[in-house]
């Protein structure tokens, strides 16, 4: 039965059949629908279609946030019989990509998504996330730190409920700075630009090493520790124009550059050229750095033999008596447009915002929640062995002094990063660099 | 080339002559090309049209598509980042094409001089990068260029030269990329040129030698002119390929430092898939496509030069 | 005279051997690095002091980092890439050969127009279709699927061009004779044209294999989850794991990903070259 001898149509049929079989194999061979990502996480979903009366709520979280979601899930399921919470867990880097594309396409969106303020702004303005109209009525706004709550508001509407507040703190070598303070006769850690420059110059002189790190091209580092305490902002109140070229912003950028180039107390750190700063910090090459409170865990594991040598305080830049010492970041819970169960999603968000569940968040994620009523939990008063202070309650107290800063986009982040590069390498004045960055920024809706 | 005119519609020969038969026979070629054209319409024609349409609109992927006329193109003309990308891509294209073509010509000729078992081996070695994934090439070179533990710095420091920041120094990043690109492309182009070299009849060279021509004269008056179609082909394909360069700069330097190696394609990707400005990205895409189309058309016509001998 | 020629020739050979060693350097570096244990990853000596297979092991068993395991799903990458390449090849060869046969041996209305449209698209870069294709597959809910990876690659006008050139050199007499014997068009295609076109098909197969196996941009845009990564995407992504030394495994993966391609091209060398000469640069 030679194939070549058969009539044309038969061969066509056979060919089509073969192609069809191949296609089916291909589809069948595809890896199964996503379960939780690998690594040290628990998996827990069946891809079960909900039985009669059973509904599934999908929540996305990255790393430890997913762990927390898993932890509080049973309580929610108990309160809502017939509802299953399906938690999907991602690593941080691919998560951003995944969220942005999925939400933008409107297909396969979760019901609850953890969002980082850095790229959440884009999502709010694009209508990719639902406005949470019940936020102000069903939650007590006063229970939240304003710096957290207002961060996720846009043009009068609330788009996210804040989880933890992340704002910059100065991590510094207690022993080294303490010595310098003694030589200068300082009794309290300086809290103004002028005093701090004086102290760090002394540190440099005594150790011959930079007093702290300043990140090159890092818009985040700049707006948190400099723009905010200098009273500047990224977007104006009305949300209609960019103002990161205001005189305050220019002053903030000039200081950023001067600290490295003029006063020579800071090391301009470039991740590409200089590598991982932890190496320098643990090796005694640099005496300080500014990061969010999450860095406490990092340095404890990165430089374990330096226990007790590191201390934390609020960012010391700015004038005396300034209202804010840093700006807030963190994470939030939002409901994407096109979610299958928006009502249920809102119920879950409400459920997660109880003092108990937020205390649980603190214990698992180690970030201080925005919900002030959760701070009563004894976990916050536990003394952190590495730093010798009750880290939870201390950071919670400091969080009251962090300002919410309206959210720009990835594009603006890139532009500001470039402006920082130009200013710190002397290629342009701070004012020109920022003016250009504002000019090139995409228009706000 | 067998002429199209000569081949009769040979479905006519000896076949059934009824209505049904006639219909079938006429339909056959259309049926045969339909798998391709169906896919072509769906996956190329429609997308391109949509792209052209999008370039006159603003769209973030989920919100409504808003027509804005030529606004995107105006923005593009005023966008310093776009001009930077254009400059970067143009530099890469010109330098790599000229140096690459000259290099592969030299390489092809040299390898031809080698006899025996050595030459296929050499050819295979030089050809390796062409079959290696771009990702692999980029990452291996990234290791080589590494300022702290890369092989290149290790070697030059042996000679007393200072270690360089190959990929993070704004002045060195682009040359580093270009070097890698030339390295990767030599073997492929050399192979094509070799094919061209072999199509030149030996009697021409013999005749020239009888007349006492030197090696250099041979090259100038025989090899080069007869290689024109081949060389032009190499130039054309290089230009087209380099204008659309994306993967290598993205993987090697991410477009940095400070957009120093950001090609138009890279910028396009950023605008579309990171900033989610699909309208503007489409405008850039259409512009890039036009540039590439014009380049290839110009070169396509140049290839048509007949060479008499 | 002969001796001088010989000296020059040997000189050239020597010179080329030297250059080719430099050419091999990146590959040697890649293999060497893949065999180095963690401590030596940052050393500048070329060869490992204590060669080990740990970088390769990690591709299958994951990284141990403190109490966390980082999984690199290399087997999935390899599987995905193999499957899509194979299916892609079959589909492309079939589609292109059919269309090429039609263009080469038939006259039909609109033939020239369609042909020139096809040529035109050869010159259009992928960027013109990138965003809409992404949106299209997104709307069809085919993001992150095999279909999305395979289908765009099946549209290959260059292949039709190449095959058509070759098929035109096949004498029509053979086909006419078959027609007289009562063979239908498809049978002529399948039983005569295809076997006779083997060299060109071989070349095309190699080209497409290279293209699909090594493709980066499209998978980057359309694939969102690690389980669906292709080899190129997987290797590229290894760069971005936070804080862990993955360079070694990256090189190991690179080596493994390169072997099939090198083997294939070595095997198909002659065909490949022949295909290049026949169709490549004649306008």
């Amino acid at each position: 039965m030679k194939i070549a001898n058969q009539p044309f149509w038969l061969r066509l049929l056979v060919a089509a059949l073969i192609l069809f079989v191949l296609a089916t194999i291909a589809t069948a061979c595809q890896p199964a629908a996503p379960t939780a990502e690998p690594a040290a996480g628990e998996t827990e979903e069946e891809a079960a279609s909900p039985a009669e009366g059973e509904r599934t709520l999908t929540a996305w979280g990255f790393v430890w946030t997913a762990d927390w979601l898993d932890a509080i899930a049973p309580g929610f399921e108990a309160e809502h019989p017939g509802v299953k919470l399906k938690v999907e867990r991602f690593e941080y880097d691919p998560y951003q990509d995944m969220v942005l594309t999925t939400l933008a396409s409107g297909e396969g969106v979760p019901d609850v998504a953890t969002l980082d303020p850095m790229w959440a702004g884009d999502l709010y303005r694009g209508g990719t996330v639902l406005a949470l109209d019940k936020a102000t009525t069903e939650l007590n706004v006063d229970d939240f730190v304003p710096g957290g709550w207002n961060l996720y508001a846009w043009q009068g509407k609330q788009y996210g409920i804040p989880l933890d507040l992340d704002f910059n703190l100065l991590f510094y070598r207690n022993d080294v700075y303490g010595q310098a303070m003694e030589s200068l006769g300082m009794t309290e850690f300086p809290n103004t630009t002028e005093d701090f420059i004086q102290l760090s110059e002394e540190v440099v002189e005594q150790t011959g090493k930079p007093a702290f790190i300043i990140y090159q091209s890092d818009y985040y580092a700049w707006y948190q520790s400099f723009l905010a305490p200098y009273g500047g902002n990224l977007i104006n109140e009305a949300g209609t124009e960019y103002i990161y070229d205001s005189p305050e912003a220019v002053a903030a950028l000039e200081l950023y550059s001067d600290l490295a180039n003029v006063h020579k107390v800071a090391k301009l750190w470039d991740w590409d050229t200089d590598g991982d700063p932890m190496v320098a910090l643990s090796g005694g090459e640099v005496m300080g750095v500014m990061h969010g409170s999450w860095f406490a865990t990092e340095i404890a594991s990165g430089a374990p033999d330096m226990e007790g040598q590191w201390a934390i305080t609020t960012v010391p830049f700015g004038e005396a008596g300034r209202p804010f010492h840093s700006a807030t970041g963190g994470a939030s819970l939002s409901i994407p447009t096109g979610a299958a169960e928006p009502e249920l999603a809102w119920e879950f968000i409400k459920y997660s915002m109880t003092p108990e569940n937020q205390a649980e968040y603190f214990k698992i994620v180690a970030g201080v929640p925005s919900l002030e009523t959760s701070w009563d939990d004894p976990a916050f008063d536990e003394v952190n062995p590495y730093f010798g202070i009750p880290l939870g309650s201390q950071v919670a107290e400091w969080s009251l002094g962090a300002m919410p800063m309206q959210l720009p986009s990835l594009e603006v982040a890139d532009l500001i990063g470039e402006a920082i590069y130009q200013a710190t390498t002397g290629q342009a004045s701070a004012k020109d660099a920022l003016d250009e960055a504002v000019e090139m920024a995409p228009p706000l809706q | 080339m067998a002429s199209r005119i000569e081949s009769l519609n040979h479905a006519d020969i000896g076949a059934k002559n009824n209505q049904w038969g006639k219909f079938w026979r006429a339909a056959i070629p259309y049926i045969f090309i339909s798998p391709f054209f169906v896919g072509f319409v769906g996956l190329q024609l429609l997308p391109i049209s949509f792209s052209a349409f999008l370039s006159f609109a603003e769209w973030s992927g989920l919100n409504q598509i808003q027509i804005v006329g030529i606004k995107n193109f105006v923005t593009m003309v005023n966008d310093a980042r776009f001009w930077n990308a254009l400059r970067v891509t143009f530099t890469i294209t010109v330098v790599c094409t000229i140096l690459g073509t000259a290099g592969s010509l030299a390489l092809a000729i040299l390898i031809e001089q080698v006899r025996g078992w050595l030459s296929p081996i050499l050819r295979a070695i030089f050809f390796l990068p062409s079959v290696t994934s771009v990702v692999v090439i980029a990452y291996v070179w990234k290791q080589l260029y590494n300022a702290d533990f890369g092989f290149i710095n290790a070697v030059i420091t042996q000679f007393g030269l200072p270690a360089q920041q190959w990929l993070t120094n704004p002045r060195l990043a682009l040359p580093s990329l270009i070097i890698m690109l030339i390295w990767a492309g030599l073997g492929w182009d050399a192979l094509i040129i070799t094919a061209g070299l072999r199509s030149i009849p030996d009697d021409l060279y013999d005749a020239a030698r009888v007349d006492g021509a030197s090696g250099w004269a041979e090259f100038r008056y025989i090899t080069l002119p007869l290689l024109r179609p081949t060389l032009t082909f190499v130039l054309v394909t290089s230009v087209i390929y380099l204008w659309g360069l994306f993967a290598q700069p993205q993987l090697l330097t991410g477009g940095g430092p400070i957009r120093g190696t950001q090609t138009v394609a890279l910028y396009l990707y950023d605008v579309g898939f990171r900033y989610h400005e699909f309208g503007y990205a489409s405008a850039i895409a259409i512009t890039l496509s036009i540039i590439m189309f014009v380049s290839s058309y110009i070169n396509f016509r140049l290839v048509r030069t007949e060479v008499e001998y | 005279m002969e001796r001088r020629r010989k000296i020059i020739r040997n000189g050239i050979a020597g010179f080329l051997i030297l250059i080719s060693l430099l050419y091999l350097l990146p590959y040697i570096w890649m293999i060497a690095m893949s065999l180095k244990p963690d401590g030596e990853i940052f050393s500048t000596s070329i060869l490992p002091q204590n060669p080990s297979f740990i970088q390769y092991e990690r591709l299958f068993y994951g990284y141990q980092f403190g109490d966390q395991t980082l999984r690199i799903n290399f087997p999935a990458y390899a599987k995905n890439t193999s499957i899509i390449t194979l299916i892609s090849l079959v589909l492309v060869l079939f589609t292109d050969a059919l269309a090429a046969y039609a263009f080469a041996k038939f006259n039909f209305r609109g033939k020239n127009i369609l042909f020139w449209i096809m040529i035109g698209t050869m010159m259009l870069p992928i960027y013109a279709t990138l965003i809409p294709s992404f949106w299209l597959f997104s709307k069809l809910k085919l993001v992150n699927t095999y279909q999305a990876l395979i289908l765009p690659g099946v549209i290959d006008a260059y292949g039709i061009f190449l095959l058509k050139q070759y098929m035109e050199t096949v004498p029509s007499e053979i086909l006419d004779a078959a027609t007289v014997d009562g063979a239908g068009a498809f049978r002529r295609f399948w039983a005569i044209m295809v076997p006779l076109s083997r060299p060109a098909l071989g070349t095309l197969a190699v080209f497409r294999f290279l293209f699909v196996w090594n493709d980066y941009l499209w998978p980057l845009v359309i694939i969102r989850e690690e389980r669906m990564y292709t080899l190129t995407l997987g290797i590229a992504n290894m760069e971005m794991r936070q804080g862990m030394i993955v360079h070694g495994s990256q090189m190991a993966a690179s080596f493994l990903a390169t072997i099939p391609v090198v083997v294939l091209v070595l095997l198909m060398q002659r065909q490949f070259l022949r295909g290049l000469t026949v169709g490549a640069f004649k306008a």
Side-chain angles (χ1 to χ4, degrees):
Chain A
M1 171 150 171
K2 281 196 71 174
I3 288 194
N5 287 332
Q6 301 306 311
F8 165 47
W9 62 267
L10 187 61
R11 254 109 22 71
L12 200 60
L13 196 62
V14 170
L17 216 66
I18 294 178
L19 286 173
F20 177 70
V21 168
L22 279 173
T24 320
I25 294 178
T27 335
C29 268
Q30 276 187 68
T35 56
E37 277 295 271
E42 310 121 61
T43 64
E44 66 134 66
E45 41 307 297
E46 319 296 12
S49 26
E52 188 64 348
E54 202 180 277
R55 297 149 80 185
T56 313
L57 196 65
T58 318
W60 280 9
F62 39 79
V63 208
W64 303 288
T65 313
D67 289 339
W68 167 70
L69 289 169
D70 279 330
I72 66 172
F76 184 70
E77 286 168 351
E79 277 183 29
H80 294 81
V83 171
K84 267 228 114 221
L85 185 69
K86 182 170 139 179
V87 176
E88 286 179 30
R89 179 207 169 88
F90 302 89
E91 297 298 310
Y92 187 76
D93 290 325
Y95 183 67
Q96 172 180 339
D97 233 2
M98 184 82 181
V99 166
L100 290 178
T101 336
T102 312
L103 263 49
S105 78
E107 306 289 330
V109 296
D111 298 300
V112 179
T114 315
L115 294 183
D116 185 305
M118 165 100 115
W119 21 274
D122 271 338
L123 298 175
Y124 299 172
R125 286 185 282 277
T128 337
V129 167
L130 294 176
L132 304 168
D133 304 309
K134 300 189 195 161
T136 41
T137 48
E138 295 187 16
L139 286 174
N140 194 354
V141 182
D142 294 328
D143 287 342
F144 290 87
V145 175
W149 184 266
N150 294 325
L151 189 56
Y152 303 101
W154 175 256
Q155 294 190 332
K157 297 199 185 155
Q158 195 70 20
Y159 289 91
I161 307 297
L163 285 171
D164 63 314
L165 284 173
D166 180 41
F167 53 93
N168 269 6
L169 294 164
L170 176 68
F171 291 75
Y172 64 96
R173 285 280 298 278
N174 217 354
D175 43 349
V176 171
Y177 276 74
Q179 181 121 33
M181 274 167 69
E182 240 184 76
S183 323
L184 292 175
M186 279 187 183
T187 47
E188 261 184 29
F189 200 88
N191 202 31
T192 60
T193 305
E194 214 180 291
D195 291 339
F196 184 69
I197 291 182
Q198 194 188 15
L199 179 60
S200 29
E201 279 174 342
E202 182 69 19
V203 166
V204 174
E205 188 161 322
Q206 284 186 1
T207 61
K209 303 270 197 271
F212 56 96
I213 287 176
I214 288 239
Y215 286 108
Q216 180 59 285
S217 307
D218 191 339
Y219 115 103
Y220 189 84
W222 174 69
Y223 96 79
Q224 286 260 327
S225 309
F226 292 83
L227 186 61
Y230 269 62
N233 208 323
L234 297 163
I235 308 179
N236 67 354
E237 279 273 343
T240 52
E241 55 174 305
Y242 297 107
I243 53 173
Y244 52 85
D245 58 346
S246 63
E248 295 88 356
V250 174
L253 186 55
E254 280 172 352
L255 176 63
Y256 202 82
S257 171
D258 289 347
L259 285 171
N261 301 322
V262 171
H263 306 290
K264 301 206 201 271
V265 294
K267 164 137 178 71
L268 251 185
W269 193 276
D270 186 333
W271 276 87
D272 286 327
T273 9
D274 302 314
D276 189 349
M278 186 58 79
V279 176
L281 292 163
S282 58
E285 293 297 316
V286 187
M287 301 300 151
V289 70
M290 284 169 286
H291 273 301
S293 59
W294 52 267
F295 193 69
T297 335
E298 288 250 341
I299 192 153
S301 60
D305 29 323
M306 282 183 156
E307 186 170 303
Q309 287 180 290
W310 286 90
I312 319 179
T313 185
T314 55
V315 168
F317 298 111
E319 301 295 305
R322 59 189 177 280
F324 297 109
H325 54 77
S326 180
T328 47
S332 66
L333 291 178
S334 292
I335 305 179
T337 312
E341 303 268 10
E343 306 288 326
L344 207 54
W346 174 245
E347 292 301 310
F348 178 74
I349 294 184
K350 268 199 313 188
Y351 163 80
S352 70
M353 290 297 156
T354 58
E356 298 78 35
N357 285 334
Q358 286 301 306
E360 196 64 25
Y361 184 87
F362 173 68
K363 290 179 202 158
I364 296 180
V365 182
V368 172
S370 313
L371 187 68
E372 295 184 46
T373 50
S374 67
W375 297 350
D376 295 324
D377 190 294
F380 287 82
D381 293 319
E382 265 170 42
V383 173
N384 179 302
Y386 195 83
F387 294 96
I389 56 169
L391 203 51
S393 50
Q394 178 64 101
V395 173
E397 192 187 306
W398 284 334
S399 73
L400 297 169
M403 79 177 276
M405 204 175 268
Q406 289 285 5
L407 315 160
S409 55
L410 275 175
E411 193 168 355
V412 168
D414 282 355
L415 286 170
I416 295 183
E418 277 157 37
I420 295 176
Y421 183 85
Q422 293 190 310
T424 50
T425 52
Q427 289 178 27
S429 72
K431 174 149 180 38
D432 287 339
L434 287 172
D435 280 339
E436 196 185 338
V438 168
E439 216 182 286
M440 298 213 282
L444 287 161
Q445 242 82 323
Chain B
M1 179 147 77
S3 66
R4 290 168 230 156
I5 313 152
E6 175 210 86
S7 66
L8 304 165
N9 200 339
H10 54 275
D12 286 344
I13 305 175
K16 308 193 180 95
N17 260 320
N18 56 20
Q19 273 292 72
W20 187 239
K22 274 218 174 84
F23 173 73
W24 253 132
R25 284 198 304 277
I28 280 177
Y30 294 104
I31 295 178
F32 278 15
I33 65 174
S34 56
F36 173 77
F37 271 94
V38 163
F40 164 65
V41 167
L43 291 171
Q44 298 232 315
L45 202 57
L46 288 181
I48 293 177
S49 318
F50 187 50
S51 211
F53 166 69
L54 263 189
S55 61
F56 295 103
E58 267 178 10
W59 191 40
S60 74
L62 186 69
N63 64 352
Q64 300 291 46
I65 301 180
Q66 277 179 298
I67 314 277
V68 291
I70 61 168
K71 180 169 163 205
N72 287 328
F73 293 96
V74 172
T75 313
M76 195 170 71
V77 168
N78 289 323
D79 188 352
R81 294 168 296 182
F82 173 73
W83 289 105
N84 174 69
L86 216 58
R87 174 190 62 87
V88 168
T89 317
F90 185 73
T91 311
I92 293 178
T93 305
V94 167
V95 174
C96 287
T97 302
I98 295 178
L99 289 183
T101 310
S104 11
L105 180 61
L107 189 64
I109 293 179
L110 284 179
I111 296 189
E112 278 296 271
Q113 308 304 318
V114 176
R115 296 289 143 86
W117 52 269
L118 192 56
S119 93
I121 291 184
L122 282 176
R123 219 171 271 121
I125 291 180
F126 286 108
F127 194 65
L128 264 180
S130 313
V131 303
T132 317
S133 159
V134 159
V135 173
V136 170
I137 294 180
Y139 279 126
V140 176
W141 274 86
K142 202 166 174 184
Q143 305 293 342
L144 294 177
Y145 275 135
N146 187 296
D148 299 317
F149 59 85
F151 185 72
I152 297 182
N153 271 348
V155 166
I156 65 173
T157 47
Q158 298 281 28
F159 290 101
L161 298 167
Q164 298 295 335
Q165 313 272 25
W166 298 104
L167 299 179
T168 47
N169 182 333
R171 267 193 283 267
L172 290 177
L174 196 55
S176 303
L177 174 66
I178 289 178
I179 292 175
M180 183 186 88
L181 289 170
I182 296 179
W183 173 87
L186 271 186
W188 175 273
D189 290 340
L191 204 65
I192 297 186
I193 294 179
T194 306
L197 280 174
R198 295 200 176 161
S199 70
I200 301 177
D202 279 330
D203 7 322
L204 287 176
Y205 287 114
D206 293 339
R209 223 162 291 144
V210 161
D211 286 346
S214 71
W216 177 246
E218 273 179 25
F219 181 70
R220 246 187 93 192
Y221 295 110
I222 303 178
T223 318
L224 222 42
L226 288 178
L227 268 185
R228 191 135 62 127
T230 320
L231 287 178
T232 318
F233 176 77
V234 167
L235 283 168
V236 169
T237 46
S238 295
V239 165
I240 296 177
Y241 178 72
L242 290 168
W243 264 113
L245 201 65
F246 171 82
Q248 290 90 329
Q250 209 235 22
L251 296 164
L252 195 67
T253 56
I258 308 306
R259 303 181 193 268
T261 54
Q262 193 181 55
T263 59
V264 179
L266 216 52
Y267 183 51
L268 158 64
Y269 179 82
D270 256 7
V271 172
F273 294 95
R274 277 187 77 226
Y275 302 161
H276 294 275
E277 292 171 32
F278 288 117
Y280 186 40
S282 296
I284 299 178
I286 293 293
T287 309
L288 180 60
S289 306
I290 293 178
I291 293 178
M292 289 167 83
F293 188 86
V294 167
S295 304
S296 41
Y297 186 71
I298 291 177
N299 290 298
F300 192 68
R301 301 237 65 162
L302 287 177
V303 173
R304 288 174 161 273
T305 335
E306 294 291 326
V307 179
E308 302 284 335
Y309 59 93
Chain C
M1 202 46 186
E2 267 311 302
R3 252 193 83 213
R4 213 190 79 169
R5 274 240 138 79
K6 208 158 176 234
I7 294 178
I8 295 182
R9 206 158 271 153
N10 286 336
I12 292 180
F15 174 66
L16 286 176
I17 292 179
L18 210 64
I19 306 260
S20 71
L21 282 179
L22 283 181
Y23 239 74
L24 281 177
L25 180 69
Y27 294 95
I28 297 175
W29 181 265
M30 170 176 86
I31 300 176
M33 201 162 180
S34 72
L35 292 170
K36 288 182 186 171
D38 276 351
E40 289 184 47
I41 291 287
F42 296 121
S43 86
T44 50
S45 67
I46 300 188
L47 296 174
Q49 310 280 40
N50 302 311
S52 103
F53 281 111
I54 185 166
Q55 310 293 358
Y56 288 91
E57 281 169 23
R58 283 187 173 134
L59 294 176
F60 299 93
Y61 299 119
Y63 262 86
Q64 284 297 98
F65 189 69
D67 52 349
Q68 282 192 319
T69 316
L70 175 72
R71 266 272 147 71
I72 297 178
N73 206 348
F74 186 79
Y77 308 159
K79 181 183 82 163
N80 294 335
T81 314
S82 306
I83 291 182
I84 65 170
T85 305
L86 188 63
I87 298 185
S88 217
L89 263 183
V90 170
L91 290 178
V92 169
L93 286 176
F94 186 70
T95 311
D96 281 3
L98 260 187
Y101 180 53
F103 278 116
K105 293 295 181 189
F106 287 79
N107 272 325
F108 50 96
R109 265 230 304 241
K111 172 174 168 179
N112 277 329
I113 302 175
L114 288 171
F115 186 71
W116 282 108
I117 291 180
M118 199 190 77
I119 295 281
T121 68
M122 265 166 63
M123 300 197 250
L124 275 172
I126 183 183
Y127 304 105
T129 57
L130 194 66
I131 291 167
S133 299
F134 171 70
W135 176 85
L136 175 72
F137 281 98
S138 192
K139 277 297 161 210
L140 292 175
K141 302 206 195 212
L142 286 177
V143 174
N144 227 28
T145 58
Y146 279 168
Q147 295 89 309
L149 281 172
I150 295 174
L151 287 177
V154 173
I155 311 304
D156 174 34
Y158 182 75
I160 299 183
F161 189 65
L162 191 75
L163 290 176
K164 169 179 171 294
Q165 301 269 57
Y166 194 83
M167 287 183 179
E168 282 172 348
T169 66
V170 173
S172 296
E173 290 82 45
I174 306 180
L175 296 151
D176 296 344
T179 317
V180 166
D181 285 344
F186 191 77
R187 178 171 157 204
R188 291 199 297 276
F189 166 71
W190 191 254
I192 302 176
M193 196 46 116
V194 167
L196 285 180
S197 309
R198 262 211 288 263
L201 285 173
T203 309
L204 184 59
V206 174
F207 275 131
R208 296 312 297 175
F209 183 89
L210 282 177
F211 178 78
V212 179
W213 189 270
N214 290 338
D215 194 17
Y216 175 63
L217 179 58
W218 180 244
L220 177 69
V221 164
I222 205 70
I223 296 298
R224 299 279 137 192
E225 287 173 55
E226 196 198 357
R227 65 185 171 92
M228 289 299 292
Y229 278 177
T230 57
L231 281 170
T232 51
L233 206 50
I235 294 175
N237 213 51
M238 282 190 207
E239 186 77 358
M240 298 190 289
R241 302 293 170 128
Q242 294 174 326
M244 308 199 195
I245 303 177
V246 290
H247 303 171
S249 295
Q250 205 178 42
M251 293 296 115
S254 300
F255 179 62
L256 291 179
T258 309
I259 293 179
V261 185
V262 171
V263 164
L264 177 85
V265 174
L266 279 178
L267 288 178
M268 306 283 284
Q269 238 188 100
R270 232 168 19 114
Q271 297 238 346
F272 193 52
L273 247 157
R274 204 150 15 121
L276 270 183
T277 39
V278 168
F281 52 87
K282 304 244 173 75

